[in-house]
Amino acid sequence: MDSSDEEEVRTFVQVVSEKYNPENFPYGQGVVVLASPTGSPIKDRLFLPSALVLNDCGIRKAGNRSDIAAFCGHVLELDLSYNQLNDWGEIGTIVSSIPRLNFLNLSMNPLSGVQLQPSMADVFSRVRRLVLINTQVSWDTVHTLTRHTPQLKELFLCLNGYNTVSESQTSCPSLSLLQITDNQLQDWAEVRKFGRLYPGLSTLVLAKNSVNSVEDTKETLEHLFPNLRSINLNNSGLSKWEDIERLNFFPKLEEVKAQGIPLLQSYSSQERRSLLLAQLPSVMFLNGSAVSDGEREDAERFFIRYYQDCPEQERPQRYQVLVSKYGQLAPLAEVDLTPRSTVVDVRWGDRVEPISLRLEQTVGDLKKHLKALLQLPTNGIRLFHIDREMCSVRGPEELKCGFRALHSYGIRDGDEILVVPRVKDRCSSSDL
């Protein structure tokens, strides 16, 4: 691409006309072509889909408002991510010409330091889902948008470099989901502000921030977050069990994600899930997985046994609650899961050798072992198991299946493995 192409200012109208030119699509496949509006520089255009994706197209300007209105009146969703839009006036021209728009993605557009004037914000009033990821948009502009979007349900503010949250005199009660992943929020005092800004919040995604505590009282969290049902604290800075306990203060909380936090680094996977679950009696989904009644009971019993040998002053408050529920529990019996072994006599002709067998081995493994250990011929052997206690009732059992584990034959200490050469019948090719 030459320098003149690189410097060209591409418009929304231009990109739409290029991407949806009928010449780029075969006819006869249900494609509807509308006549161009009178006087429009755009010739016949495709009827655009209701979800319009124009990401990474170099768009910097809106273009002719009437052309946008003529062809985008039915559009519901618009993805303008990874473009060069840096003027809210141009964005407003596009949005105001699409009256049914309810989803707008402006991610990765350079909006740092660009303010949205309140007089221009009414054009966003029908937007229900707004994505502003990695735009570096200011909190003042965010608040201007939320004041003029009375139907806004979902707001995405990831990767915007926020380390504080600016408050607003006007809340946005319609917002139910806030995703503010991958910023630099650290103090719970900043998170607390979301409760005042978005009192209807039901889902709060704080993953990959450095939030290091949950500090509020039960009364405060009940007041600020009365509707919160899901919180994502993955890869945050939580390091104390008291912070996990305080999550129970959210009155409607039923889903928690808390993976990759410093608190859990020293625990095994089973310990992490069980100890978290036992501390969160109302949570129905933990780290993306549904919690069954059986899993909850197992986790709570595990929790009791985990802490019952600790000094009383080191036990969490939840410990006494669960002891009242289940009583004092006896320690679980230790189960030895190391591979089982046994000693058998291996008979080869007149030779008898005592050999220790690992019973998780297969018959094929045993044959290889015996050939090497006893220097048996390599032209084929057959193995028979002789049960010392049952040999008078049943005869030797051939170990035929090479992939079958030895323990499945019931081999015990003192039994005998008989090794015989594999020969061919003179009258048949089948083995004896």
Side-chain angles (χ1 to χ4, degrees):
M1 182 180 291
D2 59 33
S3 59
S4 61
D5 288 332
E6 291 178 349
E7 295 173 0
E8 179 186 7
V9 176
R10 291 174 62 76
T11 68
F12 178 89
V13 171
Q14 179 185 358
V15 169
V16 168
S17 66
E18 291 173 356
K19 182 170 183 178
Y20 293 97
N21 191 310
E23 296 177 359
N24 296 330
F25 295 84
Y27 288 98
Q29 296 185 4
V31 177
V32 179
V33 180
L34 298 182
S36 59
T38 304
S40 171
I42 306 178
K43 301 307 179 184
D44 291 341
R45 287 289 147 251
L46 288 181
F47 185 81
L48 305 185
S50 61
L52 196 57
V53 180
L54 299 174
N55 60 314
D56 200 16
C57 294
I59 298 171
R60 186 173 297 178
K61 301 287 186 180
N64 187 278
R65 185 190 300 268
S66 61
D67 287 336
I68 301 173
F71 293 101
C72 298
H74 65 292
V75 170
L76 303 176
E77 301 183 3
L78 178 59
D79 182 354
L80 291 173
S81 59
Y82 291 89
N83 280 290
Q84 299 301 316
L85 291 163
N86 61 358
D87 186 332
W88 282 104
E90 298 295 329
I91 297 170
T93 297
I94 296 170
V95 173
S96 66
S97 305
I98 310 177
R100 299 178 62 190
L101 189 69
N102 63 51
F103 170 82
L104 177 60
N105 185 355
L106 294 172
S107 298
M108 308 299 292
N109 281 277
L111 295 172
S112 174
V114 183
Q115 297 300 314
L116 171 63
Q117 299 302 317
S119 59
M120 300 168 54
D122 284 338
V123 300
F124 298 93
S125 62
R126 290 185 177 85
V127 173
R128 293 173 177 266
R129 292 181 293 154
L130 180 58
V131 187
L132 298 169
I133 296 171
N134 202 8
T135 57
Q136 312 304 308
V137 64
S138 70
W139 277 112
D140 285 343
T141 294
V142 171
H143 296 329
T144 299
L145 284 165
T146 57
R147 281 196 299 270
H148 291 83
T149 48
Q151 302 179 66
L152 188 65
K153 295 293 183 184
E154 300 179 3
L155 179 60
F156 297 79
L157 297 174
C158 314
L159 289 164
N160 281 327
Y162 301 136
N163 53 32
T164 61
V165 178
S166 172
E167 296 199 71
S168 171
Q169 297 297 320
T170 306
S171 66
C172 181
S174 64
L175 194 72
S176 61
L177 181 150
L178 175 63
Q179 185 167 134
I180 194 160
T181 302
D182 243 323
N183 282 278
Q184 284 105 47
L185 300 177
Q186 182 172 348
D187 296 332
W188 184 258
E190 302 303 320
V191 178
R192 181 189 299 125
K193 297 173 184 176
F194 294 137
R196 291 189 285 267
L197 290 170
Y198 314 117
L201 207 59
S202 64
T203 299
L204 177 57
V205 183
L206 287 165
K208 295 185 179 181
N209 280 273
S210 301
V211 176
N212 54 23
S213 64
V214 180
E215 296 178 348
D216 285 317
T217 64
K218 184 174 186 294
E219 292 74 16
T220 300
L221 291 179
E222 286 178 340
H223 173 70
L224 290 176
F225 297 94
N227 299 298
L228 192 68
R229 296 181 180 275
S230 174
I231 190 167
N232 186 332
L233 293 161
N234 286 347
N235 301 109
S236 64
L238 297 185
S239 59
K240 296 179 292 185
W241 280 110
E242 290 80 3
D243 297 317
I244 301 300
E245 292 174 6
R246 290 191 188 102
L247 296 179
N248 293 306
F249 295 163
F250 295 105
K252 294 185 179 179
L253 192 67
E254 58 186 24
E255 179 176 15
V256 170
K257 293 182 179 179
Q259 295 178 303
I261 60 176
L263 171 66
L264 301 176
Q265 288 181 353
S266 62
Y267 297 94
S268 68
S269 296
Q270 180 195 0
E271 289 171 341
R272 291 171 188 170
R273 186 167 177 87
S274 295
L275 295 176
L276 275 175
L277 186 53
Q279 291 270 30
L280 300 168
S282 298
V283 167
M284 305 304 297
F285 297 89
L286 179 61
N287 292 334
S289 299
V291 178
S292 67
D293 291 341
E295 184 187 16
R296 186 180 304 282
E297 179 174 341
D298 289 345
E300 291 175 344
R301 289 178 176 274
F302 176 88
F303 186 89
I304 293 174
R305 292 188 173 99
Y306 188 88
Y307 285 106
Q308 63 186 0
D309 292 331
C310 295
E312 186 172 352
Q313 63 271 20
E314 296 180 12
R315 294 171 180 166
Q317 293 181 358
R318 183 74 176 150
Y319 177 82
Q320 289 302 330
V321 175
L322 293 178
V323 168
S324 299
K325 181 178 180 179
Y326 296 106
Q328 293 289 347
L329 302 178
L332 292 174
E334 293 188 6
V335 179
D336 184 4
L337 296 178
T338 56
R340 292 177 293 158
S341 63
T342 189
V343 177
V344 299
D345 289 332
V346 175
R347 183 179 298 276
W348 167 250
D350 295 331
R351 295 175 57 189
V352 178
E353 296 280 350
I355 291 179
S356 177
L357 300 181
R358 292 184 294 111
L359 296 181
E360 82 279 5
Q361 280 186 311
T362 65
V363 172
D365 294 333
L366 177 59
K367 286 184 177 180
K368 293 177 184 177
H369 178 63
L370 292 179
K371 284 180 181 179
L373 184 67
L374 303 179
Q375 298 182 341
L376 299 175
T378 59
N379 60 345
I381 58 174
R382 299 169 69 184
L383 303 180
F384 293 85
H385 168 226
I386 300 174
D387 188 326
R388 285 283 175 87
E389 295 183 1
M390 301 295 292
C391 61
S392 60
V393 179
R394 66 186 187 195
E397 178 182 10
E398 185 172 2
L399 310 182
K400 290 184 177 181
C401 299
F403 56 84
R404 186 171 167 183
L406 296 178
H407 66 75
S408 66
Y409 288 96
I411 298 174
R412 293 171 293 184
D413 284 338
D415 287 355
E416 185 174 311
I417 300 295
L418 178 63
V419 184
V420 299
R422 184 180 295 278
V423 297
K424 300 289 185 179
D425 192 302
R426 293 179 181 177
C427 301
S428 171
S429 61
S430 62
D431 291 334
L432 285 174

